[in-house]
């Protein structure tokens, strides 16, 4: 395991990969003796011959012997092993936000779609060619449009659409216009109102102007990608974009703000405001041109903002905003009453872009400016599912700290008290969440100035060369000063089979020194499996003397796992019936009874929930119109069978 972590930590792309722990374990099991990892890309694999692997998320590894794909979804495991002598060609297809690598073999094509940059993909292919001795022909295919091309075409077609509309013969019939079907018109209006409410009612949108601008830009980017999926733009699509953008008011115009309030005061689409909404497109078009709206990286900036805010403040806006964006894309594609194959493919790409997750190695600070009270933080801790003993231990710990502070104020002698903690127990039981809250508790008590959490692991601390590890440790510690440094799987710093020159010990020595140097500005929390953490603490006298506070995290029960699932559904505005509950509870109970030390708990529920959302999206892709009931309903068929979960 230490050797695998050492290899991965030296690869730049590893820092962008999520689910590092499970992927590392799966990779360790898949690698043969002496097989070295050279490079990697994360993304989605697709193959015609093996339909069960289509659109599976994971990581593609280049090793010294082969190309290896490891899945990181609910169906984890080695999914593909491709020998170099089987590859005839490698083709590249550049898309709006993704790059597709196509490995052409005698038995069929295997494609891998990644959101990594062109330089990362180029380096990945260069490593393959280097291993194969430049024997493999490389072709490049630019069949897909870049985002800039799509956006340009989008604007050109919308301008032409407006020109055609203005030159139509006016009809005295009030219902003749952009949309003749009043039912579809009311549906689009209802969905625009729902999207508006999901976004503008969040504290982040109200109080953060940068986030507000990112939301506007990202929705316009999605507009271009979704509306142009079939190569054309329709009046219905233009109207829906205008409806959604109206309350967001890109130009911050008082007149538009007044118009938005008037329009959305109605329960159904107000026909007498239709011309005003159509005219609003002029402002949207000017804004797109002036701001040069584009997708700058592998993630939507607003979704990056939301994840950072959720992490720092403890909110759950990600699922809510993501679902609003995805509903926007779905409705936009079906605004004209039909959906074609190219739109279904584009919709899958947009969904992957929306739901792409932050890496957990470093988290943002709370920049909301709001000071939390201890009571508010404890209320949030007590609202978490399960963890009864943890909550009691935190309350006891807080009382102990309060007493210590009172004794200090009265110049009474103190008993030794360390704020550093050891969290041990199975994965997915809320250790990172509690660590984040504990930092905020320390801040509320006046023990830390910021209370932010910086999360890292062996890969973020240990370098492969003498003297470099201390530098990496210092970089992480500087980010964590006045807050909490959370070291996940800390036991990997002292591998059970470590050789004498393992740099993990150097990292431990550096951390211990920084804990002493910054005793009033740094709290360290180490976490991992129970047995391994005991071995880790006992392996070094310095560790044992500094960590005296232990928190044990138990497995969630089936009822608690079900409660977590219901929270995920509620946050994303999904409705479930008794059939869904019964099937989910049955699956979770069986999984719980068969659990081993790697049982994923809350993480498992999250993976199943994401699988359910994918299955629901595939099920309703061809339904027109997409009513709110259809968009928000999860049925029993959407819940994967136990075999699908355990595969």
């Amino acid at each position: 395991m230490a050797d695998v972590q050492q290899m991965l930590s030296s690869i730049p792309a590893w820092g962008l990969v999520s689910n590092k722990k499970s992927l590392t374990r799966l990779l360790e099991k898949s690698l043969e003796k002496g097989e070295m990892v050279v490079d990697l890309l994360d993304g989605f694999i697709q193959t015609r011959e093996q339909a069960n692997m289509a659109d599976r998320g994971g990581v593609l590894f280049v090793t010294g012997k082969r190309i290896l794909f490891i899945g990181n979804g609910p169906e984890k495991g080695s999914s593909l092993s491709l020998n170099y002598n089987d590859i005839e060609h490698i083709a590249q297809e550049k898309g709006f936000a993704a790059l597709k690598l196509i490995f052409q073999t005698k038995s069929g094509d295997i494609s891998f779609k990644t959101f990594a940059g062109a330089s990362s993909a180029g380096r990945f292919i260069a490593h393959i060619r280097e291993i194969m001795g430049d024997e493999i022909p490389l072709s490049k295919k630019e069949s897909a449009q870049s985002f800039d091309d799509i956006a340009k075409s989008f604007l050109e077609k919308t301008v032409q659409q407006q020109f055609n509309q203005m030159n139509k013969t006016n009809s005295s019939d009030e219902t003749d216009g952009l949309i003749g079907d009043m039912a579809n018109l009311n549906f689009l209006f209802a969905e625009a109102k729902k999207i508006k409410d999901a976004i503008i009612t969040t504290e982040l949108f109200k109080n953060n102007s940068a986030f507000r601008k990112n939301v506007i830009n990202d929705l316009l980017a999605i507009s271009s990608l979704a509306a142009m999926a079939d190569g054309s733009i329709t009046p219905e699509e233009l109207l829906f974009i205008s409806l959604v953008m109206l309350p967001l008011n890109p130009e911050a115009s008082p007149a538009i703000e007044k118009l938005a309030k008037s329009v959305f005061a109605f329960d159904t689409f107000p026909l007498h405001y239709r011309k005003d909404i159509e005219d609003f497109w002029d402002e949207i078009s000017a804004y797109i041109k002036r701001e040069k709206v584009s997708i700058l990286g592998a993630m939507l900036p607003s979704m990056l903002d939301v994840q950072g805010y959720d992490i720092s403040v403890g909110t759950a806006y990600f699922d809510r905003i993501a679902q609003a964006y995805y509903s926007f894309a779905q409705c936009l594609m079906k605004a004209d009453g039909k959906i074609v194959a190219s739109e279904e493919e584009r919709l899958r790409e947009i969904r992957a872009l929306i739901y792409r997750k932050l890496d957990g190695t470093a988290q943002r600070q709370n920049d909301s400016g709001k000071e939390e009270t201890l009571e508010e933080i404890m209320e949030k801790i007590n609202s978490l599912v399960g963890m009864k003993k943890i909550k009691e231990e935190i309350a006891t710990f807080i009382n102990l700290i309060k007493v210590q502070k009172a004794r200090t104020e009265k110049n009474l002698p103190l008993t030794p008290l360390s704020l550093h903690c050891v969290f041990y127990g199975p994965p997915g039981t809320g250790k990172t969440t509690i660590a984040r809250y504990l930092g905020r508790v320390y801040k509320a008590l006046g023990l830390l100035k910021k209370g932010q959490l910086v999360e890292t692991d062996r890969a973020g601390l240990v370098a492969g060369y003498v003297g470099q590890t201390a530098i990496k440790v210092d970089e992480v510690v500087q980010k964590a000063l006045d807050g909490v440094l959370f070291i996940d799987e800390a036991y990997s710093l002292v591998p059970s089979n470590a050789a004498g020159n393992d740099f993990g010990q150097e990292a431990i020595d550096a951390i211990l020194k920084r804990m002493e140097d910054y005793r009033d500005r740094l709290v360290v929390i180490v976490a991992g499996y129970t047995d391994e953490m005991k071995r880790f603490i006992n392996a070094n006298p310095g560790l044992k003397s500094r960590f005296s506070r232990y928190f044990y995290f138990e497995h969630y029960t089936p009822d608690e796992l079900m409660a977590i699932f219901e929270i995920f559904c509620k946050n994303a505005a999904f409705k479930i019936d008794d059939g869904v509950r019964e099937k989910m509870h049955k699956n979770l109970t069986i999984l719980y009874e068969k659990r081993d030390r790697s049982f994923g708990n809350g993480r498992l529920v999250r993976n199943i929930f994401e699988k359910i959302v994918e299955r629901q999206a595939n099920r309703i892709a061809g339904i027109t119109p997409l009513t709110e009931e259809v968009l928000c309903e999860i049925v029993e068929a959407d819940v994967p069978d136990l075999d699908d979960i355990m595969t």
Side-chain angles (χ1 to χ4, degrees), residues 110-124:
I110 297 171
S111 63
F112 185 77
K113 187 182 299 182
T114 177
F115 290 100
S119 60
S120 297
R123 184 178 61 247
F124 185 86

Side-chain angles (χ1 to χ4, degrees), residues 11 36 48 110 171 194-195 214 218 236 301 331 357 371 402 404 462 505 535 540 631 633:
I11 300 173
M36 298 292 293
R48 297 175 183 174
I110 297 171
S171 171
K194 178 183 171 186
I195 293 167
N214 284 340
D218 287 348
E236 296 88 350
C331 293
K357 295 293 182 67
E371 292 292 334
K402 287 180 177 179
Q404 288 283 74
V462 178
Q505 184 58 51
R535 173 178 59 78
N540 188 303
L631 286 167
E633 183 183 34

Side-chain angles (χ1 to χ4, degrees), residues 20-21 173 217 251 280 290 359 376 512 553-554:
K20 287 185 174 65
K21 292 177 286 187
D173 188 350
N217 290 356
E251 301 285 3
F280 174 56
R290 188 182 72 248
D359 175 45
E376 289 173 336
L512 290 173
F553 291 73
E554 299 178 310

Side-chain angles (χ1 to χ4, degrees), residues 392-411:
E392 292 174 351
E393 289 176 1
I394 291 175
T396 300
F397 193 25
I398 289 173
N399 290 335
L400 184 59
I401 293 172
K402 287 180 177 179
V403 170
Q404 288 283 74
K405 290 186 68 177
R407 290 180 67 90
T408 300
E409 292 170 359
K410 296 184 180 298
N411 296 319

Side-chain angles (χ1 to χ4, degrees), residues 426-447:
T429 48
K431 291 188 285 292
T432 307
T433 299
I434 291 297
R436 187 173 298 116
Y437 277 122
L438 204 53
R440 290 154 66 180
V441 166
Y442 289 157
K443 179 184 178 183
L445 289 170
L447 301 173

Side-chain angles (χ1 to χ4, degrees), residues 603-615:
R603 197 172 302 150
L604 171 67
V605 178
R606 161 62 75 174
N607 289 337
I608 296 174
F609 172 73
E610 291 181 351
K611 188 69 174 178
I612 288 173
V613 174
E614 291 176 3
R615 290 165 66 100

